[in-house]
Amino acid sequence: MPALGTTAVLALLPDARPLLELAAAKDGRVVRPGVPAHAALLYPWLPAGRVDGAELDRLRAALPAGRVPVRLDTVEQTGGFVGLPVPELRALATAVRSAYPERVPYGGRFGQDPPVHVTVALDAEPGTAVDIARSIGPRLPIRTEVTALHAVALTPGGWQSLAVLPLEP
């Protein structure tokens, strides 16, 4: 088993997978292998060794009940980043982040409470990023829903599932 590093709380969005595949077809270096289409609600979360039943219960207690409908309809591109904002997951991200106020998303690089997004391409050459953004625009909107959150650990081969947390009504 690969060494487990840091962890994250994610909302998986498999309906967005074709957009990541499109980006990878243009430049395989811009999409991380082993990482499905997702929106990170809290990254980093905890060191993997600290994720236990008590922490999962703490996370579950913070979650609102019910599925979250999502509409991916806007492409954002800045430098080598291409992403899709997911404003419908804002309340869910706030709930998760409020349960762990000591954990600042992305180490504070994007502020204390950054908007939720799906990363389609990261660290692309600027021209490639523009091309990817133009290519995925016509494939939008994508309508889907989030029915569970996923606690995962980052490994050298991608994310490893630690727990699935259904959003029960």
Side-chain angles (χ1 to χ4, degrees):
M1 172 178 285
L4 300 180
T6 192
T7 60
V9 180
L10 309 177
L12 298 186
L13 295 161
D15 293 332
R17 179 180 174 197
L19 305 180
L20 274 67
E21 291 171 346
L22 185 150
K26 294 187 179 296
D27 182 346
R29 299 170 296 179
V30 304
V31 177
R32 291 203 333 231
V35 179
H38 69 278
L41 303 181
L42 184 55
Y43 172 82
W45 177 34
L46 297 170
R50 281 199 39 213
V51 177
D52 59 13
E55 290 298 345
L56 292 172
D57 288 345
R58 177 179 174 191
L59 182 56
R60 277 186 195 96
L63 300 179
R67 299 167 179 238
V68 180
V70 170
R71 178 181 161 99
L72 304 172
D73 60 7
T74 304
V75 180
E76 293 181 343
Q77 184 265 319
T78 305
F81 168 82
V82 180
L84 308 169
V86 192
E88 298 89 348
L89 295 178
R90 183 79 166 148
L92 197 51
T94 298
V96 170
R97 294 170 186 175
S98 294
Y100 292 89
E102 71 281 6
R103 308 302 298 180
V104 179
Y106 305 103
R109 274 185 25 213
F110 308 107
Q112 291 292 112
D113 193 24
V116 180
H117 67 276
V118 174
T119 299
V120 176
L122 191 60
D123 297 329
E125 293 295 324
T128 302
V130 168
D131 185 35
I132 290 169
R134 285 185 183 144
S135 296
I136 65 174
R139 296 171 183 254
L140 301 178
I142 295 172
R143 290 179 180 85
T144 188
E145 67 180 6
V146 174
T147 60
L149 295 188
H150 298 261
V152 299
L154 183 60
T155 73
W159 294 109
Q160 177 181 328
S161 179
L162 298 175
V164 177
L165 307 161
L167 299 173
E168 305 281 335

